Amino acid sequence: DAGVIQSPRHEVTEMGQEVTLRCKPISGHNSLFWYRQTMMRGLELLIYFNNNVPIDDSGMPEDRFSAKMPNASFSTLKIQPSEPRDSAVYFCASTRGQGAYGYTFGSGTRLTVV
Amino acid sequence: QQQVKQSPQSLIVQKGGISIINCAYENTAFDYFPWYQQFPGKGPALLIAIRPDVSEKKEGRFTISFNKSAKQFSLHIMDSQPGDSATYFCAASVAPGAAGNKLTFGGGTRVLVKP
């Protein structure tokens, strides 16, 4: 089991540029979550999908953020245009079935916007 | 709105000591209370979890105590070891259903175990 795979591990970009973060959930997991972690705000849920359908995107901070899950094995989180305040570690997590049991997190993408 | 409040933000404990982290919640619909452990450069990993029908759960050196009437739960790390140095997050979710997959996290506690 390869776990939840995120890419890239680190991303440095200039303000105004488009950033795309990628996630491959564990095979067989049907729920996928995008979290953002900062010192000030801790772990924030941005959006989550169930069976590839977005269920709750109330945590997406602005229209600059968008997420897609075109199939059960791939999801993207896009920021366009990026701003310095978007600098954070972005985590993807997945789980199987109903309930929040046994989330498995990826290793995260550290995003720095300069 | 922070639905799960965690304290302290950080703590230092000597090797062999007991680390205690507390969490309080407001939403009485919460039905599942996990704790996650995060090492630097890694994602959080599930450590131990409890449901409100029990008051305590123990796994090795880690114990969750749960007080439903007070809406509080805590993590005790017995015989703390330097390898336990990490950030710990409490979390909560409602019962499985339309919103049942969503975990709400506390703010985290950075634990340092001194040798």
Side-chain angles (χ1 to χ4, degrees):
Chain A
D1 186 350
V4 176
I5 300 173
Q6 291 187 246
S7 63
R9 286 299 311 275
H10 303 274
E11 177 80 39
V12 180
T13 191
E14 292 185 348
M15 182 174 61
Q17 296 298 305
E18 177 180 296
V19 176
T20 299
L21 311 182
R22 297 173 175 80
C23 176
K24 176 179 170 58
I26 291 174
S27 178
H29 283 192
N30 62 337
S31 293
L32 182 141
F33 309 82
W34 283 100
Y35 279 85
R36 178 172 67 176
Q37 186 175 35
T38 61
M39 289 294 293
M40 290 296 295
R41 301 176 67 90
L43 273 165
E44 302 174 274
L45 177 64
L46 301 178
I47 185 171
Y48 81 92
F49 297 83
N50 193 38
N51 295 323
N52 310 337
V53 176
I55 302 299
D56 183 352
D57 66 354
S58 60
M60 296 287 261
E62 300 172 34
D63 290 345
R64 299 184 296 107
F65 286 69
S66 63
K68 294 181 179 180
M69 191 164 187
N71 57 62
S73 59
F74 184 67
S75 178
T76 59
L77 177 67
K78 185 177 294 186
I79 308 172
Q80 165 63 16
S82 57
E83 297 183 3
R85 60 192 168 123
D86 302 330
S87 298
V89 181
Y90 291 81
F91 287 103
C92 175
S94 69
T95 189
R96 184 199 310 265
Q98 294 286 318
Y101 316 121
Y103 271 32
T104 301
F105 280 82
S107 294
T109 295
R110 181 175 293 277
L111 174 65
T112 303
V113 183
V114 298
Chain B
Q1 179 187 4
Q2 187 179 8
Q3 295 192 49
V4 181
K5 294 184 178 180
Q6 184 171 346
S7 63
Q9 287 186 315
S10 64
L11 69 90
I12 300 173
V13 62
Q14 292 294 129
K15 179 181 176 182
I18 302 174
S19 304
I20 302 175
I21 306 170
N22 300 299
C23 284
Y25 63 95
E26 299 171 357
N27 187 349
T28 55
F30 283 149
D31 183 67
Y32 171 68
F33 302 89
W35 285 88
Y36 281 76
Q37 180 187 55
Q38 184 181 28
F39 294 106
K42 301 291 186 182
L46 179 63
L47 183 63
I48 185 173
I50 197 168
R51 301 289 301 278
D53 51 347
V54 297
S55 60
E56 186 174 284
K57 183 174 182 180
K58 183 176 181 179
E59 289 185 3
R61 296 183 293 105
F62 299 90
T63 299
I64 301 178
S65 297
F66 185 81
N67 186 330
K68 188 174 182 178
S69 61
K71 294 186 287 186
Q72 295 177 348
F73 58 111
S74 60
L75 176 70
H76 292 62
I77 307 174
M78 314 299 288
D79 187 25
S80 297
Q81 300 296 312
D84 298 331
S85 297
T87 300
Y88 293 81
F89 294 91
C90 62
S93 76
V94 299
N101 286 40
K102 180 178 173 179
L103 268 179
T104 299
F105 284 87
T109 298
R110 184 172 293 185
V111 174
L112 175 63
V113 182
K114 288 194 168 183

